[in-house]
Amino acid sequence: MEKFAVAGLRTLCIATARIEPSRWEQLEAEYQRLATITWSCWRHSHRGQAAGGVPATINDLLLAGIRIWVLTGDKLETAINIGYSCRLLQSGMEVRTLTGSGLDDVRSKVAALQSWVGGLEGSSKEPALVVEGEALAWAGRPELRAEFLEVCLQCRTVICCRVSPKQKSDVVRYVREALPTAVTLAIGDGANDVPMIQESHVGVGLKGKEGLQAAAASDYALAQFRFLKKLLFVHGAWSYHRVTIVILFSFYKNLTLYITSFWFAMASGFSGQVMFEKWTQGLYNVFFTGATPFALGIFDRSCSQENCMRYPQLYKENQGSGRYNFKVFALWMLNGVYHSAIIFGCVALALWHGSVFPNGQVSGLYYLGSTVYSLAVVTVALKAGIEHTAWTGLSHLAIWGSVATYFGFVALSANLYPHVGSNFAEVVGFDWALFGSANFWFLVLLAPLLALTRDLAWTAYRRTCAKTLREEVMEMEKLQRDPSSVLLRNTYKRMTETVRLLGRPLFRRKAPVPVSQSFADNIDQMAAGANN
């Protein structure tokens, strides 16, 4: 075996183990019992657990719109059988194979596959391709690679068999070059999968009998393949939602405050005068708004863990860059500039003729700056409240506690002058002047409301008239209702639209429309969940 391994040969070893008759009878009886269950939803769930959850996980990944390619060293027949057993290849697919031993031979077969894939457009059949290792070597050459990838990317499933570790990494690289915006994930359990794992954007290694090489070289290590579902549908979806909102909100809150200095510079003739007290200005991102992005990035989520695992269709909204792209980023930044203009404009109009305090003194520069600063802090906190979707006690503490921290700092700093020297000399007694002013509290109530009117209107429209599937499920969660009906209604709408585009009636009296096995299984699972 060592000599064969050094020569690069794959060796099949057959081993036996003695099992006590009582133990074998127990295992066989349990498996036969599970195999004879008639309800499809229970059969698939229980047998999937007995088989490690691989078929069920692959089926859910397909339902989530994820393209799955299998790169294996097994021979052609074995790879096809494994594809059917793990439900990667299904009865609703038309499977073709690509084999060949020369460039011209493979070129002609790729051209035939192009015609085959084009002929399936508008058909109920989905294309699936099985590629043999030698043919993959010829198809991966520069003069044929583009045509080969064009066929593969139009297939629902691609299986590459009899491939070497180098070929596995090459296939991942081909896809990354052909689709620069796509995100690739490679999962493997052995040392021969390490090049593939390292070539992909996200590498996942399985700890098992094949050793720890794949797990050590990966970004995430899993104990079982079925855990990939939770990694993607729960942690992946939540992390994408949280990272995008943290990035967008962090830039927005800084623009909301510091662009007001630009409006003040225009009003003061670009004199260079600063309207904020230096300590207050420096602590904006540290204390007064520092905890808000953490609340959004730690506690915020889109849907509950149970529904993310139960309905793979929800993952489709996380694919692509719909939540974070140049357009979304630009709109958030323009919104920050807009809020800063509303805040400074309201303060400038209110203090256009000055403000007189009860002791006879009039407002000055730091009164203007502190009012603008206070309105920015309150507006940013309210904006975070609008965007936050999963409130917890710590979320309330982080968001509203930031506002309370700022007002507490104003009161504290105004009374520290006798104890800390001249650092706070310009704000002595300033807390009574600010908090005792009716203009200040009027602006606190008016300016944030004016600034956020557009945000509230857009949020109300989006959550009533333009709800996404995920937002509909979130609404059902708040009402403590089962979202199965929402998923079924959206599935029916997609079926109706697809059939309409194909020019076929949805229902026929003589011959019913064929339904794929994966769709039927998913309907059974959702119906069972609704009954529960």
Side-chain angles (χ1 to χ4, degrees), residues 39-336:
W39 293 352
S40 60
C41 58
W42 284 92
R43 181 174 70 251
H44 290 145
S45 61
H46 284 276
R47 294 187 69 180
Q49 292 176 4
V54 174
T57 301
I58 290 179
N59 184 64
D60 289 337
L61 294 178
L62 292 174
L63 290 175
I66 299 176
R67 295 296 183 93
I68 301 178
W69 291 23
V70 174
L71 312 177
T72 178
D74 297 323
K75 62 181 183 179
L76 183 65
E77 294 79 5
T78 306
I80 295 176
N81 291 333
I82 293 176
Y84 279 108
S85 64
C86 68
R87 304 183 68 184
L88 186 61
L89 299 177
Q90 301 175 0
S91 58
M93 296 181 179
E94 184 172 336
V95 183
R96 292 290 181 90
T97 59
L98 176 60
T99 59
S101 57
L103 180 60
D104 294 334
D105 183 22
V106 175
R107 189 195 303 272
S108 62
K109 292 183 178 179
V110 169
L113 289 173
Q114 286 179 317
S115 302
W116 163 68
V117 172
L120 288 179
E121 293 184 2
S123 173
S124 59
K125 290 284 187 179
E126 292 182 321
L129 182 62
V130 180
V131 185
E132 196 266 335
E134 185 177 359
L136 178 62
W138 292 106
R141 301 188 65 169
E143 56 268 29
L144 189 56
R145 186 183 306 167
E147 292 81 1
F148 171 69
L149 287 176
E150 181 182 356
V151 174
C152 292
L153 293 175
Q154 295 183 60
C155 293
R156 179 63 171 168
T157 299
V158 177
I159 299 178
C160 301
C161 59
R162 302 298 292 174
V163 294
S164 65
K166 177 64 165 57
Q167 286 180 308
K168 292 182 180 182
S169 63
D170 288 341
V171 171
V172 177
R173 179 168 51 85
Y174 296 159
V175 175
R176 293 186 61 172
E177 293 175 353
L179 299 174
T181 59
V183 178
T184 59
L185 181 146
I187 180 170
D189 62 348
N192 57 344
D193 298 319
V194 171
M196 173 185 66
I197 291 174
Q198 293 179 336
E199 183 66 34
S200 62
H201 292 94
V202 181
V204 179
L206 296 176
K207 296 180 179 179
K209 298 180 179 179
E210 295 291 334
L212 299 178
Q213 291 89 343
S218 62
D219 300 305
Y220 301 94
L222 304 178
Q224 297 183 28
F225 182 84
R226 61 187 178 92
F227 295 154
L228 179 64
K229 180 179 175 180
K230 187 173 184 179
L231 178 66
L232 293 177
F233 296 168
V234 179
H235 299 293
W238 286 3
S239 297
Y240 176 66
H241 177 82
R242 291 167 176 172
V243 168
T244 55
I245 191 65
V246 166
I247 294 174
L248 295 172
F249 187 81
S250 297
F251 280 93
Y252 154 80
K253 70 184 183 67
N254 281 281
L255 283 177
T256 301
L257 175 67
Y258 293 112
I259 293 297
T260 57
S261 298
F262 176 74
W263 309 127
F264 176 73
M266 294 179 62
S268 62
F270 294 96
S271 62
Q273 177 64 48
V274 179
M275 63 175 172
F276 300 132
E277 189 269 325
K278 56 182 180 295
W279 278 98
T280 307
Q281 183 179 4
L283 295 177
Y284 179 73
N285 285 312
V286 179
F287 290 109
F288 307 143
T289 61
T292 306
F294 282 97
L296 296 175
I298 296 176
F299 305 111
D300 204 25
R301 60 172 175 80
S302 51
C303 293
S304 65
Q305 175 180 329
E306 293 76 13
N307 285 328
C308 287
M309 293 286 288
R310 186 178 174 188
Y311 305 111
Q313 298 90 336
L314 296 175
Y315 186 76
K316 291 183 179 180
E317 295 185 15
N318 296 302
Q319 297 173 333
S321 56
R323 288 188 55 84
Y324 186 79
N325 51 48
F326 178 78
K327 178 182 178 181
V328 173
F329 183 84
L331 290 176
W332 270 78
M333 300 307 102
L334 290 176
N335 198 32

Side-chain angles (χ1 to χ4, degrees), residues 240-470:
Y240 176 66
H241 177 82
R242 291 167 176 172
V243 168
T244 55
I245 191 65
V246 166
I247 294 174
L248 295 172
F249 187 81
S250 297
F251 280 93
Y252 154 80
K253 70 184 183 67
N254 281 281
L255 283 177
T256 301
L257 175 67
Y258 293 112
I259 293 297
T260 57
S261 298
F262 176 74
W263 309 127
F264 176 73
M266 294 179 62
S268 62
F270 294 96
S271 62
Q273 177 64 48
V274 179
M275 63 175 172
F276 300 132
E277 189 269 325
K278 56 182 180 295
W279 278 98
T280 307
Q281 183 179 4
L283 295 177
Y284 179 73
N285 285 312
V286 179
F287 290 109
F288 307 143
T289 61
T292 306
F294 282 97
L296 296 175
I298 296 176
F299 305 111
D300 204 25
R301 60 172 175 80
S302 51
C303 293
S304 65
Q305 175 180 329
E306 293 76 13
N307 285 328
C308 287
M309 293 286 288
R310 186 178 174 188
Y311 305 111
Q313 298 90 336
L314 296 175
Y315 186 76
K316 291 183 179 180
E317 295 185 15
N318 296 302
Q319 297 173 333
S321 56
R323 288 188 55 84
Y324 186 79
N325 51 48
F326 178 78
K327 178 182 178 181
V328 173
F329 183 84
L331 290 176
W332 270 78
M333 300 307 102
L334 290 176
N335 198 32
V337 175
Y338 169 74
H339 287 179
S340 67
I342 294 295
I343 291 172
F344 185 82
C346 289
V347 176
L349 290 176
L351 302 180
W352 188 263
H353 298 289
S355 179
V356 180
F357 302 127
N359 59 1
Q361 296 180 346
V362 295
S363 60
L365 176 64
Y366 286 120
Y367 179 83
L368 170 69
S370 296
T371 304
V372 170
Y373 196 99
S374 302
L375 298 183
V377 171
V378 173
T379 303
V380 165
L382 292 175
K383 175 63 174 177
I386 294 175
E387 297 297 329
H388 200 24
T389 58
W391 286 95
T392 64
L394 293 176
S395 300
H396 287 285
L397 179 63
I399 295 176
W400 314 125
S402 299
V403 179
T405 301
Y406 167 68
F407 288 124
F409 175 81
V410 171
L412 182 64
S413 61
N415 294 277
L416 282 180
Y417 170 66
H419 307 287
V420 298
S422 60
N423 288 333
F424 294 98
E426 63 271 17
V427 295
V428 173
F430 191 70
D431 52 341
W432 293 105
L434 188 67
F435 299 149
S437 172
N439 278 343
F440 172 77
W441 295 112
F442 174 75
L443 289 172
V444 168
L445 295 176
L446 177 64
L449 181 61
L450 290 177
L452 295 171
T453 299
R454 190 205 63 83
D455 300 76
L456 292 171
W458 171 249
T459 302
Y461 168 77
R462 188 186 64 189
R463 295 180 179 178
T464 54
C465 302
K467 290 184 291 187
T468 63
L469 177 60
R470 184 175 293 273

